[in-house]
């Protein structure tokens, strides 16, 4: 694996899951001090401000954001630690997508999409992004989500700064499997 990808995974792990691993502190909204983060990562990876900015605005999607004064940084989605990102509830597009792996399909067929270790279930506006998220876990299975129906039924959605949609749970009635451009 490319060293910058490894470094990005490490920084994401700190900002989303285990800040204590490097002794950084996240405030209640998930922010941490940029200089402190760089200093605490450096024994392991040659992180600089420029590299942190590159990691933040990744090729496929944004992952971190900086405060207006540039002194703080936080992950914009993906957290397992309890933080309040302050995203406003928002009406989603009529359809959203979720990429997963076939090994999970039986369980998803029974329980719907669960947030597992994270604070939210993560959904994509765009099918390509859902594909690449799903492939991380194994043989891809793609789900369509009837977000308009969920919203009408009172489920809450949040759009992260990265454009990823967050919700608490997607029950089976709102899901369908997408196969080769056909739906079943
Ligand atoms: C699956 C990354 C069994 C779910 C990504 C997924 C995303 C179930 C896995 C963001 C299930 C959890 C989040 C059920 C859901 N039974 N398995 N009932 N319900 N699952 O990594 O959505 O790229 O926690 O389908 O790109 O894959 O790092 O969630 O396969 O946006 O910025 O359980 O994290 O962001 O896996 O990924 P994850 P995810 P970055």
């Amino acid at each position: 694996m490319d060293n910058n990808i490894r470094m990005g995974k490490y920084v994401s792990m700190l900002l989303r899951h285990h800040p204590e691993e490097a002794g950084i502190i996240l405030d209640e909204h998930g922010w941490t001090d940029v200089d402190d983060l760089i200093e605490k990562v450096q024994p392991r990876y040659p992180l600089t401000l420029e590299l942190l900015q590159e990691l933040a605005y990744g090729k496929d999607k944004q992952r971190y954001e900086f405060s207006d004064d540039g002194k703080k940084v936080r992950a914009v989605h993906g957290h397992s630690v309890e933080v309040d990102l302050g995203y406003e509830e928002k009406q989603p597009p009529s359809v959203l997508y979720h990429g997963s792996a076939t090994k999970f399909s039986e369980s998803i067929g029974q329980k719907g999409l669960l947030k597992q270790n994270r604070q939210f279930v993560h959904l994509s506006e765009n099918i390509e992004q859902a594909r690449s998220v799903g492939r991380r876990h194994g043989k891809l299975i793609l789900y369509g989500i009837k977000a308009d129906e969920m919203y009408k039924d009172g489920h809450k959605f949040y759009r992260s700064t990265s454009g990823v949609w967050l919700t608490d749970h997607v029950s089976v009635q709102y899901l369908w499997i997408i196969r080769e451009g056909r739906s079943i």
Side-chain angles (χ1 to χ4, degrees):
M1 197 191 296
D2 180 288
N3 226 24
N4 277 2
I5 295 180
R6 241 184 272 264
M7 176 160 64
K9 286 187 180 295
Y10 182 66
V11 172
S12 290
M13 183 276 288
L14 296 176
L15 295 179
R16 295 170 176 177
H17 310 298
H18 295 292
E20 75 284 354
E21 289 266 320
I24 63 161
I25 292 172
L26 306 187
D27 74 12
E28 59 185 318
H29 305 298
W31 297 104
T32 197
D33 185 85
V34 169
D35 293 339
D36 188 52
L37 175 69
I38 291 171
E39 190 187 314
K40 301 270 169 64
V41 169
Q42 276 187 349
R44 216 181 253 254
Y45 295 102
L47 184 63
T48 59
L49 179 58
E50 290 67 32
L51 282 170
L52 186 62
Q53 282 161 346
E54 258 177 52
L55 293 173
Y57 306 102
K59 284 191 205 98
D60 52 341
K61 74 172 101 143
Q62 184 178 352
R63 291 195 167 79
Y64 320 136
E65 68 183 341
F66 292 85
S67 57
D68 290 343
D69 64 5
K71 290 184 178 160
K72 289 179 182 177
V73 64
R74 71 176 181 180
V76 289
H77 61 248
H79 299 81
S80 60
V81 288
E82 281 294 317
V83 291
D84 174 10
L85 296 172
Y87 295 142
E88 306 237 323
E89 209 193 309
K90 213 173 163 192
Q91 180 168 0
S94 55
V95 170
L96 287 167
Y97 303 96
H98 180 87
S100 187
T102 50
K103 63 187 173 200
F104 300 139
S105 62
E106 197 181 327
S107 170
I108 292 173
Q110 287 163 3
K111 299 178 193 158
L113 294 176
L114 302 176
K115 55 191 174 184
Q116 311 286 38
N117 296 326
R118 304 194 196 252
Q119 273 191 307
F120 295 101
V121 174
H122 288 55
L123 306 171
S124 304
E125 274 175 22
N126 133 359
I127 205 160
E128 254 326 298
Q129 190 173 79
R131 275 186 226 279
S132 69
V133 172
R135 283 197 194 104
R136 289 154 52 241
H137 298 287
K139 189 168 184 293
L140 177 69
I141 182 162
L142 264 182
Y143 292 93
I145 290 104
K146 298 170 191 166
D148 50 355
E149 282 187 27
M150 281 185 70
Y151 186 72
K152 268 187 232 142
D153 292 344
H155 295 276
K156 291 182 181 169
F157 287 84
Y158 306 90
R159 189 178 191 271
S160 79
T161 308
S162 53
V164 169
W165 285 85
L166 306 170
T167 197
D168 195 51
H169 172 232
V170 181
S171 56
V172 178
Q173 76 205 79
Y174 303 117
L175 281 175
W176 79 95
I177 297 172
I178 299 174
R179 293 187 210 267
E180 301 295 323
R182 284 185 298 124
S183 341
I184 58 158

